[in-house]
Amino acid sequence: MKWEKIAVGQLCEITSSKRIFYSEYVETGVPFYRSKEIIESFNGQKISEPLYIREEKYAEIKEKFGVPVAGDMLLTSVGTIGVPYIVKDDDYFYFKDGNLTWFRNFDDKLLSKYLYLWISSQYGQAVLNNMVIGSSQRALTISALKSLQVELPPIGVQNKIVDILSTYDDLIENNRRQIKLLEEAAQRLYKEWFVDLRFPGWEETPIVDGVPEGWRKTSLEKTCSLKKDVLIPKEMRHEFPYIGLEHMPRNDICLCNWGCADEVNSNKFIYHENDILFGKIRPYFHKVGFALNDGVASTDALVIQPENKIWGLILMTLSSDLFVRYTYQTCKEGSKMPRADWDEMKKYNILVPDSKLLTWFENFAKNVTHQIKVLAMQSRNLSESRDRLLPKLMSGELEVTA
């Protein structure tokens, strides 16, 4: 079944925010979003570097011009374009003009969630890419988005399509929450044992030269190796996973997103399953995680292979706040941006417990990461199934009745 195409500008208001100046940022207040925060929210990630504006400024704008409310949609429109976000009931923020486009006051003929799904589809993304202006700084204009043509089924059919596809999204979101809980449990135990030194039996264990008795002090250099094996473009195949910095989440240890190697045109590092990737360009030192498969990675990442018997401890050390801060303190200036300095990183001291505690911690870490991997792969399969189904539903190829 083919549906009528209608310009989005006829079905909702498409606008932007009121200008907020750098001088109006404050330490605490109402969260202020740019494209980066919307992308993080779209990916289910925590806002990593929040900005704020004064409560009074927000209240003034709300009274005079309005602010995002539940059901509105924001769209990244500069740089990384085409990432949509539906405002939720408990959202409370304002946003940067120019970076984001605001869709609001939807006509009763169009559901914002339907538009969100349409834009998320491969077809919708292709349409948006054809509307982009600029080469060095890609952008979507409000006037172009007003003319964006979408297939518009009856509202009852839109509701049904949203219900079908939301089932996949709900399962993916549930897995994401479970993964986050598992990561937090591992990070919490690492901090308790290896930073606060509150390990089992700590009350009776004397500290000798700053190290619990029976423990030993070592370094990254002695417990893992830096891998620099390179694959050149002509050797890459479509089925090879490719992980760039854009695929690596902030403050998460699971690298469950990747692209295809045949999309890249420069040398890349080879990595293997369970290798640890570390973003080596500032400000990406907090992008650290373990690989779920074999593939190739950006040369802007370090590929680190820990000893198997101490793999979990190294993973948690490299992803810890303490180590990330150390990397910031010891990084060196590069030709464009400061970079992590492996010669300094490898000197980092690591406390290794006695064999009994080490075995217990490693078993715990490997069990947690195994569960994370299972959930992440389930989510990826769900996402791929949803993405295959989405264009068929939205084009009318698969008939849906209200």
Side-chain angles (χ1 to χ4, degrees):
M1 179 184 296
K2 289 294 182 181
W3 294 309
E4 179 185 7
K5 285 189 174 183
I6 300 181
V8 175
Q10 297 179 31
L11 301 166
C12 66
E13 181 184 354
I14 303 177
T15 184
S16 189
S17 63
K18 295 303 173 183
R19 179 68 54 87
I20 299 292
F21 297 96
Y22 177 79
S23 60
E24 295 178 285
Y25 295 165
V26 293
E27 290 296 319
T28 61
V30 178
F32 185 68
Y33 287 3
R34 302 154 293 178
S35 291
K36 183 172 75 65
E37 285 76 24
I38 290 299
I39 293 168
E40 289 175 342
S41 298
F42 176 82
N43 291 324
Q45 298 167 7
K46 182 180 179 181
I47 303 303
S48 58
E49 298 169 313
L51 297 176
Y52 300 95
I53 60 173
R54 291 183 299 110
E55 297 270 1
E56 295 82 1
K57 182 67 176 181
Y58 176 83
E60 176 188 335
I61 293 172
K62 181 178 181 179
E63 182 179 352
K64 291 182 178 179
F65 309 106
V67 296
V69 298
D72 289 357
M73 188 184 82
L74 297 178
L75 184 72
T76 60
S77 302
V78 174
T80 301
I81 65 161
V83 178
Y85 180 75
I86 295 291
V87 180
K88 298 179 175 61
D89 289 330
D90 58 350
D91 276 335
Y92 179 55
F93 66 87
Y94 200 57
F95 64 97
K96 185 175 177 61
D97 64 301
N99 278 212
L100 300 163
T101 305
W102 184 9
F103 297 71
R104 64 178 185 173
N105 297 327
F106 281 80
D107 187 281
D108 58 11
K109 295 179 181 178
L110 175 64
L111 294 175
S112 60
K113 188 63 183 291
Y114 177 83
L115 179 61
Y116 166 91
L117 292 168
W118 188 93
I119 285 175
S120 301
S121 69
Q122 290 183 347
Y123 177 73
Q125 289 290 300
V127 172
L128 289 182
N129 280 324
N130 286 332
M131 301 171 67
V132 169
I133 63 170
S135 53
S136 59
Q137 180 73 302
R138 304 170 72 240
L140 287 168
T141 65
I142 288 176
S143 60
L145 289 169
K146 286 181 177 180
S147 66
L148 176 65
Q149 300 277 320
V150 299
E151 294 86 357
L152 196 69
I155 198 71
V157 174
Q158 291 182 46
N159 268 310
K160 189 66 175 178
I161 290 173
V162 168
D163 287 345
I164 292 170
L165 296 173
S166 293
T167 301
Y168 289 86
D169 290 335
D170 290 345
L171 291 169
I172 292 169
E173 175 61 18
N174 184 57
N175 283 354
R176 186 195 67 78
R177 286 196 294 265
Q178 290 187 62
I179 288 172
K180 178 52 65 178
L181 289 173
L182 288 165
E183 290 179 340
E184 289 174 351
Q187 291 160 347
R188 189 163 52 248
L189 185 67
Y190 169 81
K191 182 178 183 298
E192 184 178 337
W193 281 26
F194 298 97
V195 179
D196 300 334
L197 296 181
R198 295 296 191 265
F199 52 89
W202 68 273
E203 299 95 334
E204 294 81 29
T205 304
I207 304 297
V208 181
D209 295 329
V211 179
E213 189 175 55
W215 291 38
R216 62 186 174 89
K217 186 182 292 186
T218 185
S219 65
L220 273 183
E221 185 175 24
K222 296 177 181 178
T223 54
C224 59
S225 57
L226 183 67
K227 300 171 65 176
K228 294 185 177 181
D229 300 328
V230 170
L231 196 68
I232 61 176
K234 69 178 182 180
E235 296 174 337
M236 295 183 192
R237 300 176 183 173
H238 174 77
E239 63 269 21
F240 290 175
Y242 163 66
I243 296 179
L245 290 182
E246 66 275 18
H247 300 113
M248 298 173 65
R250 298 169 181 265
N251 303 313
D252 290 340
I253 60 172
C254 178
L255 300 179
C256 55
N257 295 317
W258 56 81
C260 298
D262 61 355
E263 298 172 1
V264 300
N265 55 13
S266 60
N267 294 353
K268 302 298 174 187
F269 288 142
I270 298 170
Y271 70 81
H272 296 290
E273 182 179 352
N274 290 330
D275 282 350
I276 298 171
L277 272 58
F278 189 103
K280 71 177 182 182
I281 296 179
R282 195 179 73 187
Y284 301 121
F285 301 155
H286 50 273
K287 291 193 169 192
V288 188
F290 70 99
L292 305 186
N293 47 26
D294 295 352
V296 293
S298 168
T299 52
D300 287 331
L302 299 174
V303 180
I304 301 168
Q305 184 180 54
E307 294 179 12
N308 185 58
K309 64 182 180 181
I310 202 172
W311 180 86
L313 178 55
I314 298 300
L315 172 64
M316 300 316 302
T317 298
L318 292 175
S319 60
S320 69
D321 290 340
L322 279 175
F323 185 76
V324 170
R325 285 199 294 270
Y326 174 82
T327 307
Y328 273 103
Q329 293 164 1
T330 59
C331 67
K332 61 182 178 182
E333 294 298 322
S335 56
K336 295 182 179 179
M337 297 182 72
R339 292 177 174 260
D341 186 350
W342 176 251
D343 286 337
E344 292 297 327
M345 292 169 68
K346 68 184 183 183
K347 300 175 185 176
Y348 191 79
N349 288 327
I350 297 173
L351 290 180
V352 181
D354 61 61
S355 59
K356 182 179 179 180
L357 286 179
L358 178 61
T359 298
W360 196 98
F361 184 82
E362 286 298 306
N363 288 339
F364 168 80
K366 288 177 180 178
N367 179 53
V368 164
T369 52
H370 173 72
Q371 292 181 64
I372 288 174
K373 181 175 181 178
V374 169
L375 291 167
M377 295 306 294
Q378 284 179 358
S379 291
R380 188 169 181 91
N381 291 335
L382 285 166
S383 179
E384 290 174 351
S385 297
R386 179 201 59 198
D387 291 346
R388 287 193 297 268
L389 182 60
L390 191 150
K392 294 179 180 180
L393 290 173
M394 307 198 84
S395 66
E397 180 181 341
L398 289 179
E399 188 171 349
V400 176
T401 56

